């Protein structure tokens, strides 16, 4: 790699389970314009994880950051820490990333750590979407939990399930019941492949019944998010929908990619330069404070972010005021 | 009597006036907070809906502020809410609160009971004063809803973030203090003028407009709907209401007493989707969705508390309306355990969706 700094856009997706970083080089000739990607476990410490990610990025090459976009449930925090140009919700970010891969995409199935989404597009515009409601049944965390209960590496899960010849039927509506149903089937003596395959099938049915709920899933169909790695899930979606399911190469960091594209779009539209705070973030100490605001009867829970003793940002106020 | 009552949006401003008119001392509980919900949930059945728990929390906070009487609406027709008062009375008594509980309802059979309730409520016997007080109550109700509607228009166009919300709070407190109808309307007229300075005159951006409907309590009570109207305003969207608390009271109390039905015109609007009354606000949600879908709106947001049966029926019908009229409709389910992050994400994504459609069309 040459020593000349490469012009790239940084995309960060701070999710419940993982924090993903990507660097996007729009001038890269290859189809895959992602020049670096990093997947880290958030481990409940997003600030720490952000700093770790930046450090790894810095070590991986010489970069000139042209713009920064953040997404995911920790997007506001990440946005404030990094000085992001765009702070965007996951649904828009995922849709933009998929559209950059294929403009014909009409359906995006996204299953992440704690939520699953369906995004419906027509003519390159999001026209409808839905997310899992009150329950997290059928999301990545559950697969994760079951894999560790069975002492299987999560990566093996799908491959093992694919070997199944007679998948058992698992009750997939609720994770607690699914787990007891799985244990019950194990005690009866069913093979582990059949049980895993049954579980994947239940998750697909659960998704189609709860998240997709009667919406029309037209091709081209994308399947992205961490769970898309699971080959058995891919197969069950293909069978249930009777359609080709396309898993993009960077299926696990699509949110981050979308955020980077959005940052690029915005900066070019506004002809401005990035707000990115730079590598000095690595040496800074971040602290957060939370308190209850007593300015009005709403008593909002306010979170404040401080960097090296200096105030950075504050959020949580329902009135929208930042003071 | 020292009477406390549950919150429903800003209606407390009018209710205080009404109670004073009738010769009572109103004990207005603090606006809903997480503490309210915690208090209410503690003595509520786990599977009951969110409004039940918040309402009960309001009552408990009112009692701890010295109220000796709790006033609640009830009756037949609206939904389970009709018998919530009775259950809440029992729950309050069981948890050791020695209070009088008055349920205001349109009587069906038991006219004697209704009469004794009325005698308790009307402690002031001066009919002229009562008439005047009721007119003032009506004026306050009217002005407060007009002020709210003004703020819905202005918030996406405000110069300084948060300015409209604090302006509205200030004006509502003024309205709370005044004691003549003329002053009520003066507040409104002044607000119209003062708001001109708070909104951005150069903003040529077309502001997306979203219709807002659903189960009435979650629509009207900001604590229950996580301040959805303010959130949308700050995301740059104008919220168009379909429910007026004042109209709702007229429909459910006065028209019922007069034996008139508010159902027919609704059923006409909902024709082809839903034939008649299904309890609660289900028919309204369907009928208003059709009406809004026909008007030039950019989207519709439908809100309901988890386990609300009439709205679940409506929720099942709305996707059909959405595809027939090509208008995006999003249903949001609200529950004690639902997270704010997911809620905000859905709102932001819906606003993006509306904006991108809007620009694609222009």
């Amino acid at each position: 790699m040459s020593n000349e700094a490469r012009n790239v856009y940084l995309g960060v997706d701070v999710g419940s389970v993982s924090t993903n970083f990507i660097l996007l080089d729009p001038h890269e000739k290859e189809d895959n314009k992602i020049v670096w990607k990093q997947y880290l476990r958030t481990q409940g410490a997003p600030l720490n994880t952000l700093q770790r990610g930046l450090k790894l990025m810095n070590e991986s090459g010489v970069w000139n950051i042209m713009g920064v976009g953040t997404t995911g449930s920790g997007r506001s925090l990440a946005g404030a820490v990094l000085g992001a140009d765009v702070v965007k919700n996951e649904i828009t970010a995922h849709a933009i990333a998929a559209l950059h891969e294929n403009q014909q995409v009409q359906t995006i199935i996204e299953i992440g750590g704690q939520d699953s989404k369906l995004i419906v597009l027509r003519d390159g515009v999001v026209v409808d979407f839905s997310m899992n409601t009150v329950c997290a049944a059928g999301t990545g965390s559950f697969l994760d939990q079951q894999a560790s209960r069975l002492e299987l590496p999560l990566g093996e899960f799908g491959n093992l399930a694919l070997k199944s010849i007679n998948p058992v039927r698992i009750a997939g509506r609720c994770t607690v019941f699914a787990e007891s149903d799985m244990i019950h089937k194990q005690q009866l003596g069913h093979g582990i492949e059949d049980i895993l395959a049954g579980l994947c099938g239940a998750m697909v049915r659960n998704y189609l019944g709860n998240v997709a709920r009667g919406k029309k899933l037209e091709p081209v169909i994308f399947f992205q998010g961490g769970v898309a790695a699971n080959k058995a899930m891919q197969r069950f979606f293909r069978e249930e929908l009777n359609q080709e399911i396309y898993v993009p190469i960077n299926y696990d960091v699509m949110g981050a990619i979308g955020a980077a594209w959005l940052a690029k779009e915005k900066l070019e539209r506004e002809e401005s330069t990035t707000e990115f705070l730079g590598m000095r973030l690595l040496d800074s100490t971040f602290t957060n404070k939370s308190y209850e605001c007593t300015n009005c009867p709403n008593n909002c829970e306010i979170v404040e972010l401080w960097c090296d003793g200096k105030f950075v940002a504050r959020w949580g106020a329902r009135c929208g005021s930042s003071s | 009597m020292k009477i406390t009552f549950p919150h429903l949006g800003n209606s407390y401003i009018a209710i205080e006036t009404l109670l004073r008119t009738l010769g009572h001392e109103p004990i207005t509980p603090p606006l809903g907070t997480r503490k309210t919900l915690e208090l209410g949930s503690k003595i509520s059945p786990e599977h009951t809906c969110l409004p039940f728990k918040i309402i009960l929390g309001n009552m408990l906070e009112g009692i701890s502020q010295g109220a000796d009487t709790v006033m609640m609406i009830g009756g037949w027709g609206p939904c389970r809410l009709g018998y919530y008062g009775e259950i809440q009375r029992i729950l309050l008594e069981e948890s050791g609160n020695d209070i009088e509980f008055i349920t205001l309802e349109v009587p069906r059979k038991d006219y004697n009971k209704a009469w004794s309730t009325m005698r308790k409520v009307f402690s002031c016997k001066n009919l002229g004063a009562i008439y005047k007080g009721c007119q003032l109550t009506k004026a306050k109700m009217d002005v407060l809803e007009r002020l709210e509607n003004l703020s819905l228009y202005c918030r996406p166009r405000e110069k300084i973030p948060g300015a409209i919300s604090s302006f509205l709070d200030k004006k509502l407190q003024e309205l709370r203090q005044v004691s003549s109808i003329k002053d009520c309307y003066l507040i409104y007229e002044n607000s119209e003028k003062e708001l001109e300075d708070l909104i951005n005159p150069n903003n040529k951006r077309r502001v997306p407009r979203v219709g807002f409907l659903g189960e009435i309590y979650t629509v009207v009570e900001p604590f229950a709907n996580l301040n959805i109207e303010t959130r949308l305003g700050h995301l740059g969207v104008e919220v168009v209401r379909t429910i007026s608390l004042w109209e709702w009271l007229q429909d459910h109390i006065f028209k019922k007493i007069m034996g008139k039905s508010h159902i027919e015109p609704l059923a006409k609007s909902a024709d082809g989707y839903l034939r008649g009354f299904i309890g609660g606000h289900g028919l309204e949600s369907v009928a208003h969705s059709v009406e809004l879908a026909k008007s030039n709106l950019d989207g519709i947001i439908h809100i309901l508390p988890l386990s609300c049966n009439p709205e679940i029926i409506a929720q099942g019908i709305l996707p059909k309306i959405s595809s027939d009229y090509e208008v995006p409709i999003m249903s949001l389910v609200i529950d004690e355990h639902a997270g704010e992050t997911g809620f905000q994400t859905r709102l932001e994504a819906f606003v993006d969706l509306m904006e991108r459609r809007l620009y694609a069309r222009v």
Side-chain angles (χ1 to χ4, degrees):
Chain A
M1 185 171 285
S2 70
N3 282 333
E4 207 174 310
R6 195 164 177 179
N7 289 341
V8 287
Y9 290 87
L10 170 65
V12 183
D13 180 352
V14 184
S16 53
V17 178
S18 69
T19 299
N20 309 322
F21 301 79
I22 64 103
L23 288 176
L24 169 88
D25 181 354
H27 301 297
E28 172 75 39
K29 293 281 183 299
E30 308 245 335
D31 267 358
N32 176 14
K33 297 184 190 307
I34 308 310
V35 291
W36 173 77
K37 73 173 181 180
Q38 182 69 47
Y39 174 102
L40 294 174
R41 293 244 155 186
T42 309
Q43 293 169 325
L47 284 172
N48 198 331
T49 314
L50 281 170
Q51 280 181 318
R52 264 199 301 148
L54 283 185
K55 192 153 175 270
L56 290 169
M57 178 183 93
N58 215 13
E59 287 162 8
S60 69
V62 188
W63 313 109
N64 176 28
I65 305 293
M66 306 280 289
V68 181
T70 63
T71 185
S73 48
R75 60 185 176 278
S76 308
L77 179 74
V81 169
L82 299 170
D85 305 298
V86 164
V87 177
K88 211 41 153 180
N89 63 81
E90 305 90 289
I91 290 163
T92 305
H94 273 280
I96 295 294
L99 283 169
H100 273 280
E101 190 115 339
N102 183 344
Q103 295 204 346
Q104 308 301 317
V105 61
Q106 297 206 80
T107 304
I108 301 170
I109 296 168
E110 197 271 338
I111 307 188
Q114 282 187 353
D115 52 28
S116 40
K117 313 175 188 73
L118 170 71
I119 308 172
V120 181
L121 304 99
R122 295 289 179 270
D123 305 320
V125 177
V126 178
V127 293
D128 197 3
F129 65 87
S130 59
M131 283 168 85
N132 57 328
T133 44
V134 195
C135 172
T139 59
S141 294
F142 178 58
L143 283 184
D144 202 0
Q145 188 192 328
Q146 290 314 311
S148 65
R149 189 176 68 84
L150 299 166
E151 295 181 356
L152 283 171
L154 190 56
E156 297 280 303
F157 202 113
N159 295 334
L160 214 59
L162 269 188
K163 290 187 188 142
S164 159
I165 297 161
N166 288 313
V168 295
R169 197 164 176 93
I170 303 274
R173 182 164 308 284
C174 159
T175 51
V176 178
F177 294 150
E179 178 167 335
S180 47
D181 204 19
M182 276 173 70
I183 294 173
H184 173 66
K185 298 275 154 65
Q186 271 176 290
Q187 320 284 47
L188 282 179
H190 288 281
I192 189 82
E193 307 88 25
D194 292 342
I195 291 171
L196 293 182
L199 182 67
C200 293
M203 282 185 55
V204 168
R205 280 199 309 278
N206 187 2
Y207 178 91
L208 295 174
N210 282 325
V211 183
R213 211 187 293 181
K215 295 192 197 299
K216 277 204 188 97
L217 308 191
E218 305 274 356
V220 173
I221 303 179
F222 267 45
F223 181 20
Q224 53 200 49
V227 174
N230 187 315
K231 294 236 166 58
M233 293 284 288
Q234 295 175 14
R235 194 187 91 185
F236 282 113
F237 268 121
R238 197 170 294 132
E239 286 174 5
E240 287 277 340
L241 295 171
N242 203 15
Q243 296 279 5
E244 194 46 47
I245 304 291
Y246 183 73
V247 179
I249 313 165
N250 294 303
Y251 65 89
D252 52 344
V253 290
M254 292 297 270
I257 296 175
W261 280 115
L262 282 162
K264 177 176 180 286
E265 267 179 33
K266 186 187 168 208
L267 292 172
E268 283 173 3
R269 193 173 57 236
E270 294 177 356
E271 295 175 357
S272 53
T273 50
T274 184
E275 305 276 321
F276 182 51
L277 294 174
M279 284 306 151
R280 65 188 167 88
L281 292 171
L282 289 178
D283 309 314
S284 309
T285 317
F286 286 97
T287 41
N288 39 13
K289 268 204 297 210
S290 63
Y291 61 93
E292 223 171 65
C293 171
T294 50
N295 284 345
C296 85
N298 273 337
N299 294 6
C300 301
E301 272 185 14
I302 311 287
V303 182
E304 281 184 356
L305 181 69
W306 292 70
C307 171
D308 294 332
K310 263 186 282 173
F311 172 76
V312 183
R314 174 187 288 131
W315 50 89
R318 280 179 225 160
C319 62
S321 98
S322 53
S323 53
Chain B
M1 289 186 284
K2 291 179 166 182
I3 301 184
T4 191
F5 51 89
H7 275 294
L8 188 53
N10 291 310
S11 63
Y12 69 93
I13 292 171
I15 296 172
E16 283 174 350
T17 305
L18 181 67
L19 289 176
R20 283 205 191 93
T21 301
L22 299 172
H24 304 289
E25 183 188 335
I27 306 283
T28 306
L31 294 176
T33 62
R34 293 207 331 189
K35 194 179 145 226
T36 315
L37 181 56
E38 274 166 30
L39 284 172
S41 305
K42 220 172 183 174
I43 60 167
S44 297
E46 159 62 22
H47 276 78
T48 188
C49 70
L50 183 72
F52 182 98
K53 295 174 185 174
I54 303 176
I55 289 172
L56 192 54
N58 286 150
M59 293 172 176
L60 285 164
E61 287 187 311
I63 293 168
S64 71
Q65 288 190 354
D68 54 28
T69 307
V70 174
M71 195 178 268
M72 171 68 181
I73 50 166
W76 43 283
C79 69
R80 301 191 285 193
L81 190 95
Y83 62 74
Y84 277 2
E86 196 51 27
I87 301 173
Q88 283 159 339
R89 179 183 67 78
I90 297 168
L91 290 172
L92 287 174
E93 275 171 15
E94 280 180 351
S95 55
N97 293 288
D98 181 24
I99 40 111
E100 177 109 30
F101 200 103
I102 298 175
T103 308
L104 297 178
E105 54 193 334
V106 179
R108 201 173 205 175
K109 275 189 206 137
D110 195 349
Y111 289 98
N112 281 338
K113 189 181 160 211
W115 178 241
S116 80
T117 307
M118 289 317 261
R119 286 183 53 164
K120 264 186 256 167
V121 173
F122 284 84
S123 126
C124 164
K125 302 282 191 290
N126 179 344
L127 282 180
I130 289 179
Y131 176 78
K132 269 174 108 179
C134 287
Q135 292 297 340
L136 180 62
T137 305
K138 190 179 142 194
K140 287 197 174 184
M141 201 70 217
D142 183 37
V143 171
L144 81 87
E145 288 202 327
R146 284 176 185 225
L147 285 173
E148 287 170 354
N149 284 329
L150 264 185
S151 74
L152 292 180
Y153 174 84
C154 293
R155 206 173 275 122
R157 299 168 169 90
E158 67 189 351
K159 277 186 201 159
I160 308 158
I164 300 294
S165 294
S166 37
F167 178 81
L168 177 68
D169 283 345
K170 201 178 84 197
K171 289 296 166 187
L172 288 174
Q173 290 315 312
E174 279 178 27
L175 182 67
R176 194 178 178 185
Q177 302 306 332
V178 295
S179 49
S180 81
I181 295 177
K182 206 178 131 214
D183 288 343
C184 290
Y185 285 95
L186 202 62
I187 291 175
Y188 178 74
E189 281 162 28
N190 290 339
S191 302
E192 268 189 323
K193 284 179 213 136
E194 288 168 44
L195 276 168
E196 279 173 19
D197 293 334
L198 294 177
I199 62 175
N200 206 337
N202 303 323
N203 200 345
K204 291 281 183 290
R205 185 180 74 99
R206 158 104 149 73
V207 171
R209 294 169 75 230
V210 67
F212 182 40
L213 44 83
E215 185 277 321
I216 183 161
Y217 182 86
T218 35
V219 167
V220 179
E221 173 58 36
F223 176 60
N225 63 37
L226 303 167
N227 289 61
I228 187 171
E229 291 180 333
T230 315
R231 283 174 195 260
L232 285 167
H234 290 150
L235 290 173
V237 176
E238 182 184 334
V239 178
V240 179
R241 283 185 182 174
T242 58
I243 294 177
S244 143
L245 201 53
W246 177 237
E247 277 173 24
W248 182 78
L249 284 173
Q250 286 175 317
D251 283 351
H252 281 266
I253 297 176
F254 304 118
K255 283 195 187 164
K256 212 173 250 177
I257 295 175
M258 310 292 259
K260 280 188 195 159
S261 162
H262 67 286
I263 301 295
E264 254 170 56
L266 290 169
K268 210 172 157 194
S269 291
D271 186 37
Y273 298 100
L274 187 60
R275 284 211 195 109
F277 185 63
I278 51 166
H281 248 65
L283 179 60
E284 275 91 338
S285 288
V286 173
H288 291 153
S289 294
V290 176
E291 287 162 13
L292 290 177
K294 285 181 184 165
S295 66
N296 196 19
L297 282 178
D298 301 297
I300 297 172
I301 292 181
H302 170 235
I303 199 165
L304 63 148
L306 186 72
S307 83
C308 173
N309 188 40
E311 296 299 334
I312 289 171
I313 299 173
Q315 192 188 1
I317 297 171
L318 297 187
K320 179 89 173 75
I321 301 174
S322 171
S323 73
D324 286 354
Y325 291 92
E326 291 185 351
V327 57
I329 302 184
M330 174 169 70
S331 287
L332 289 170
V333 184
I334 305 282
D335 178 54
E336 186 188 344
H337 304 289
E340 254 179 62
T341 318
F343 189 78
Q344 181 70 18
T345 300
R346 286 171 174 81
L347 291 184
E348 286 180 18
F350 196 69
V351 172
D352 277 350
L353 181 159
M354 288 193 294
E355 278 180 344
R356 292 210 170 224
R357 274 173 63 106
L358 193 63
Y359 299 140
R361 234 187 297 153
V362 180

